[in-house]
Amino acid sequence: MAAKTTSVDSLTKGVEFLLKKNNVEYIPGTAAFSGEHEVKVNRIDGGEQTLIGKNIIIATGSEATPFPGLTIDEKRVVTSTGAIALESVPKKMIVIGGGIIGLEMGSVWSRLGADVTVVEFLGQIGGPGMDAEVSKASQKILGKQGLKFKLNTKVLSGDTSGETLKLEVEAAKGGKQETLEADVVLVAIGRRPYTAGLGLENIGLDVDNKGRVVIDQEYRTKLPHIRVIGDCTFGPMLAHKAEEEGVAAIEFIKKGYGHVNYNAIPSVMYTHPEVAWVGQNEAELKEQGVKYKVGNFPFSANSRAKTNLETDGFVKFLADAETDRILGIHIVGPNAGEMIAEGVLALEYGASTEDVARTSHAHPTLAEAFKEAAMATYSKAIHY
């Protein structure tokens, strides 16, 4: 935990330094709209300050979605915030939600010695964006590490009154109830926009039924000088997506144009091994009626992975059956979060799998699996 705190402090102080370096005034506090161009700030160091802005950007992010009937105390019933601040390794942990955050936090505490059970309403882990084949492989790998899974299962209620926490669960489609016990319950059923207390109602800004601030294609609200980026509006709740939107929003203000390619926003699950993907998955292509071809290459046939004794997983390409244009790339395995950047670049530039396959990749590297998967898609892999 000391190492974690040191890292967080270093990163946040680094951002403060960049603000100062670029002559950006930083005011710690909470803010609310008091007028269309006016924001009132309750400063952390005391007092109130009013700011007037010609242009205003809302970037307040998101917060963990609570689970009905369970009170979050960040000690025994925790969100991801409490999960990275537990003072000891729990004997038993239940994770409600088998999405990316739940799996990341659950796998950490599992590797530290906790008995972790993941309860997921859907029939696969990783959320709807993860390719089904990758999801199944990830579940198998995490299962070997000790994680237990209860898929197609819903949590009915929770009891926090005793020494151990108790959850009542049953099959998602109905069935026999079961009681699960744990020392810590991690609530990871998703996140919701953090807009409470912003005073949006004071200036008539609209939110949808999920609490997201409504914007147009240029990130403008109904008041065009107020723009919104990141988790508190539409799209995937990813820091790097918000970063791209921040740049685009400023470009719209300064230049009148800006752009984010939402088809080339990568997702990464920081388990061990990692999972990463960009573009479309098989289920999405089938739903759209797109004819596609598939190529896979396992890390068990990659020399660097074999040398490092990290051979679980594979790289998977999806490409248009006629044009060979890359439609999606999915990786489960070592260094997947770094390797996916090449996939993002390929999608951004409209590359074909042959383009990637004919690009030299250094030997011995994990990235050779990326090249070989592309070869397997348009022709044949050499080393498998």
Side-chain angles (χ1 to χ4, degrees), residues 100 103 124-136 138 269 275 277 281 330:
I100 290 179
L103 295 174
Q124 72 169 53
I125 64 170
M130 187 180 290
D131 185 81
E133 184 181 6
V134 171
S135 173
K136 187 177 293 185
S138 301
M269 183 169 78
V275 178
W277 69 90
N281 59 41
H330 305 265

mmCIF file of all heavy atoms in Angstrom, residues 100 103 124-136 138 269 275 277 281 330:
data_model
loop_
_atom_site.group_PDB
_atom_site.id
_atom_site.type_symbol
_atom_site.label_atom_id
_atom_site.label_comp_id
_atom_site.label_asym_id
_atom_site.label_seq_id
_atom_site.Cartn_x
_atom_site.Cartn_y
_atom_site.Cartn_z
ATOM 1 N N ILE A 100 -14.639 -5.444 -16.216
ATOM 2 C CA ILE A 100 -13.194 -5.202 -16.173
ATOM 3 C C ILE A 100 -12.724 -4.822 -14.777
ATOM 4 O O ILE A 100 -11.761 -5.396 -14.258
ATOM 5 C CB ILE A 100 -12.808 -4.105 -17.194
ATOM 6 C CG1 ILE A 100 -12.960 -4.666 -18.613
ATOM 7 C CG2 ILE A 100 -11.375 -3.642 -16.971
ATOM 8 C CD1 ILE A 100 -12.639 -3.678 -19.710
ATOM 9 N N LEU A 103 -12.879 -7.754 -12.258
ATOM 10 C CA LEU A 103 -11.869 -8.776 -12.530
ATOM 11 C C LEU A 103 -10.467 -8.284 -12.186
ATOM 12 O O LEU A 103 -9.640 -9.044 -11.667
ATOM 13 C CB LEU A 103 -11.936 -9.211 -13.997
ATOM 14 C CG LEU A 103 -13.232 -9.929 -14.401
ATOM 15 C CD1 LEU A 103 -13.245 -10.186 -15.907
ATOM 16 C CD2 LEU A 103 -13.394 -11.233 -13.642
ATOM 17 N N GLN A 124 -21.053 -14.351 -19.547
ATOM 18 C CA GLN A 124 -19.614 -14.293 -19.785
ATOM 19 C C GLN A 124 -19.007 -13.170 -18.964
ATOM 20 O O GLN A 124 -19.697 -12.243 -18.552
ATOM 21 C CB GLN A 124 -19.287 -14.076 -21.267
ATOM 22 C CG GLN A 124 -19.588 -12.666 -21.788
ATOM 23 C CD GLN A 124 -19.009 -12.421 -23.169
ATOM 24 O OE1 GLN A 124 -19.251 -13.184 -24.095
ATOM 25 N NE2 GLN A 124 -18.238 -11.356 -23.312
ATOM 26 N N ILE A 125 -17.705 -13.260 -18.726
ATOM 27 C CA ILE A 125 -17.011 -12.218 -17.986
ATOM 28 C C ILE A 125 -16.474 -11.169 -18.964
ATOM 29 O O ILE A 125 -16.437 -11.389 -20.173
ATOM 30 C CB ILE A 125 -15.852 -12.791 -17.141
ATOM 31 C CG1 ILE A 125 -14.766 -13.398 -18.056
ATOM 32 C CG2 ILE A 125 -16.365 -13.823 -16.148
ATOM 33 C CD1 ILE A 125 -13.486 -13.773 -17.319
ATOM 34 N N GLY A 126 -16.072 -10.018 -18.414
ATOM 35 C CA GLY A 126 -15.424 -8.998 -19.235
ATOM 36 C C GLY A 126 -16.345 -7.957 -19.810
ATOM 37 O O GLY A 126 -15.885 -6.983 -20.408
ATOM 38 N N GLY A 127 -17.654 -8.142 -19.664
ATOM 39 C CA GLY A 127 -18.585 -7.170 -20.211
ATOM 40 C C GLY A 127 -18.902 -7.431 -21.670
ATOM 41 O O GLY A 127 -18.252 -8.254 -22.336
ATOM 42 N N PRO A 128 -19.888 -6.734 -22.225
ATOM 43 C CA PRO A 128 -20.343 -6.990 -23.592
ATOM 44 C C PRO A 128 -19.328 -6.635 -24.671
ATOM 45 O O PRO A 128 -19.416 -7.138 -25.791
ATOM 46 C CB PRO A 128 -21.600 -6.112 -23.715
ATOM 47 C CG PRO A 128 -21.421 -5.046 -22.684
ATOM 48 C CD PRO A 128 -20.686 -5.684 -21.558
ATOM 49 N N GLY A 129 -18.336 -5.789 -24.375
ATOM 50 C CA GLY A 129 -17.367 -5.400 -25.394
ATOM 51 C C GLY A 129 -16.316 -6.453 -25.673
ATOM 52 O O GLY A 129 -15.713 -6.485 -26.753
ATOM 53 N N MET A 130 -16.084 -7.337 -24.704
ATOM 54 C CA MET A 130 -15.039 -8.343 -24.861
ATOM 55 C C MET A 130 -15.505 -9.471 -25.781
ATOM 56 O O MET A 130 -16.622 -9.971 -25.658
ATOM 57 C CB MET A 130 -14.634 -8.914 -23.496
ATOM 58 C CG MET A 130 -13.434 -9.843 -23.548
ATOM 59 S SD MET A 130 -12.959 -10.503 -21.919
ATOM 60 C CE MET A 130 -12.313 -9.039 -21.116
ATOM 61 N N ASP A 131 -14.664 -9.862 -26.714
ATOM 62 C CA ASP A 131 -14.971 -10.951 -27.632
ATOM 63 C C ASP A 131 -15.225 -12.228 -26.840
ATOM 64 O O ASP A 131 -14.524 -12.532 -25.870
ATOM 65 C CB ASP A 131 -13.801 -11.138 -28.602
ATOM 66 C CG ASP A 131 -14.092 -12.174 -29.665
ATOM 67 O OD1 ASP A 131 -14.766 -11.844 -30.655
ATOM 68 O OD2 ASP A 131 -13.655 -13.332 -29.492
ATOM 69 N N ALA A 132 -16.231 -13.005 -27.240
ATOM 70 C CA ALA A 132 -16.643 -14.194 -26.482
ATOM 71 C C ALA A 132 -15.518 -15.219 -26.355
ATOM 72 O O ALA A 132 -15.346 -15.841 -25.297
ATOM 73 C CB ALA A 132 -17.864 -14.829 -27.143
ATOM 74 N N GLU A 133 -14.744 -15.401 -27.414
ATOM 75 C CA GLU A 133 -13.642 -16.364 -27.365
ATOM 76 C C GLU A 133 -12.567 -15.905 -26.377
ATOM 77 O O GLU A 133 -12.010 -16.707 -25.617
ATOM 78 C CB GLU A 133 -13.033 -16.531 -28.763
ATOM 79 C CG GLU A 133 -11.927 -17.586 -28.819
ATOM 80 C CD GLU A 133 -11.322 -17.730 -30.201
ATOM 81 O OE1 GLU A 133 -11.681 -16.940 -31.105
ATOM 82 O OE2 GLU A 133 -10.470 -18.636 -30.389
ATOM 83 N N VAL A 134 -12.293 -14.612 -26.375
ATOM 84 C CA VAL A 134 -11.318 -14.042 -25.442
ATOM 85 C C VAL A 134 -11.834 -14.144 -24.009
ATOM 86 O O VAL A 134 -11.090 -14.473 -23.080
ATOM 87 C CB VAL A 134 -11.017 -12.579 -25.806
ATOM 88 C CG1 VAL A 134 -10.193 -11.898 -24.728
ATOM 89 C CG2 VAL A 134 -10.288 -12.505 -27.145
ATOM 90 N N SER A 135 -13.119 -13.868 -23.837
ATOM 91 C CA SER A 135 -13.724 -13.957 -22.513
ATOM 92 C C SER A 135 -13.602 -15.366 -21.941
ATOM 93 O O SER A 135 -13.240 -15.554 -20.773
ATOM 94 C CB SER A 135 -15.201 -13.550 -22.589
ATOM 95 O OG SER A 135 -15.852 -13.783 -21.357
ATOM 96 N N LYS A 136 -13.902 -16.350 -22.771
ATOM 97 C CA LYS A 136 -13.828 -17.744 -22.317
ATOM 98 C C LYS A 136 -12.398 -18.129 -21.957
ATOM 99 O O LYS A 136 -12.145 -18.787 -20.938
ATOM 100 C CB LYS A 136 -14.364 -18.666 -23.407
ATOM 101 C CG LYS A 136 -14.497 -20.122 -22.989
ATOM 102 C CD LYS A 136 -15.107 -20.977 -24.104
ATOM 103 C CE LYS A 136 -16.550 -20.587 -24.355
ATOM 104 N NZ LYS A 136 -17.209 -21.495 -25.351
ATOM 105 N N SER A 138 -10.000 -16.048 -21.027
ATOM 106 C CA SER A 138 -9.621 -15.305 -19.825
ATOM 107 C C SER A 138 -10.171 -15.967 -18.572
ATOM 108 O O SER A 138 -9.483 -16.075 -17.554
ATOM 109 C CB SER A 138 -10.137 -13.862 -19.908
ATOM 110 O OG SER A 138 -9.608 -13.209 -21.032
ATOM 111 N N MET A 269 -7.817 -4.678 -20.017
ATOM 112 C CA MET A 269 -8.108 -5.208 -18.692
ATOM 113 C C MET A 269 -6.777 -5.613 -18.066
ATOM 114 O O MET A 269 -6.084 -6.494 -18.566
ATOM 115 C CB MET A 269 -9.048 -6.422 -18.774
ATOM 116 C CG MET A 269 -9.443 -6.964 -17.408
ATOM 117 S SD MET A 269 -10.784 -8.176 -17.487
ATOM 118 C CE MET A 269 -9.874 -9.635 -18.033
ATOM 119 N N VAL A 275 -5.721 -8.383 -20.947
ATOM 120 C CA VAL A 275 -6.629 -8.542 -22.085
ATOM 121 C C VAL A 275 -6.775 -7.166 -22.729
ATOM 122 O O VAL A 275 -6.904 -6.159 -22.026
ATOM 123 C CB VAL A 275 -8.015 -9.056 -21.646
ATOM 124 C CG1 VAL A 275 -8.948 -9.165 -22.854
ATOM 125 C CG2 VAL A 275 -7.894 -10.404 -20.949
ATOM 126 N N TRP A 277 -8.313 -5.048 -26.485
ATOM 127 C CA TRP A 277 -8.954 -5.141 -27.793
ATOM 128 C C TRP A 277 -9.250 -3.757 -28.346
ATOM 129 O O TRP A 277 -9.283 -2.774 -27.623
ATOM 130 C CB TRP A 277 -10.238 -5.961 -27.714
ATOM 131 C CG TRP A 277 -11.379 -5.355 -26.965
ATOM 132 C CD1 TRP A 277 -12.372 -4.547 -27.459
ATOM 133 C CD2 TRP A 277 -11.668 -5.503 -25.557
ATOM 134 N NE1 TRP A 277 -13.247 -4.195 -26.463
ATOM 135 C CE2 TRP A 277 -12.852 -4.778 -25.289
ATOM 136 C CE3 TRP A 277 -11.046 -6.195 -24.515
ATOM 137 C CZ2 TRP A 277 -13.402 -4.709 -24.018
ATOM 138 C CZ3 TRP A 277 -11.593 -6.123 -23.250
ATOM 139 C CH2 TRP A 277 -12.768 -5.390 -23.014
ATOM 140 N N ASN A 281 -16.023 -6.942 -32.211
ATOM 141 C CA ASN A 281 -15.874 -8.358 -31.888
ATOM 142 C C ASN A 281 -16.767 -9.182 -32.806
ATOM 143 O O ASN A 281 -17.537 -8.644 -33.608
ATOM 144 C CB ASN A 281 -16.173 -8.619 -30.408
ATOM 145 C CG ASN A 281 -17.581 -8.205 -30.008
ATOM 146 O OD1 ASN A 281 -18.548 -8.419 -30.734
ATOM 147 N ND2 ASN A 281 -17.707 -7.602 -28.830
ATOM 148 N N HIS A 330 -8.059 -8.571 -31.003
ATOM 149 C CA HIS A 330 -8.320 -8.983 -29.622
ATOM 150 C C HIS A 330 -7.134 -9.796 -29.111
ATOM 151 O O HIS A 330 -6.677 -10.724 -29.783
ATOM 152 C CB HIS A 330 -9.608 -9.810 -29.564
ATOM 153 C CG HIS A 330 -10.788 -9.093 -30.158
ATOM 154 N ND1 HIS A 330 -11.666 -8.362 -29.406
ATOM 155 C CD2 HIS A 330 -11.200 -8.979 -31.456
ATOM 156 C CE1 HIS A 330 -12.580 -7.822 -30.207
ATOM 157 N NE2 HIS A 330 -12.320 -8.182 -31.458
#
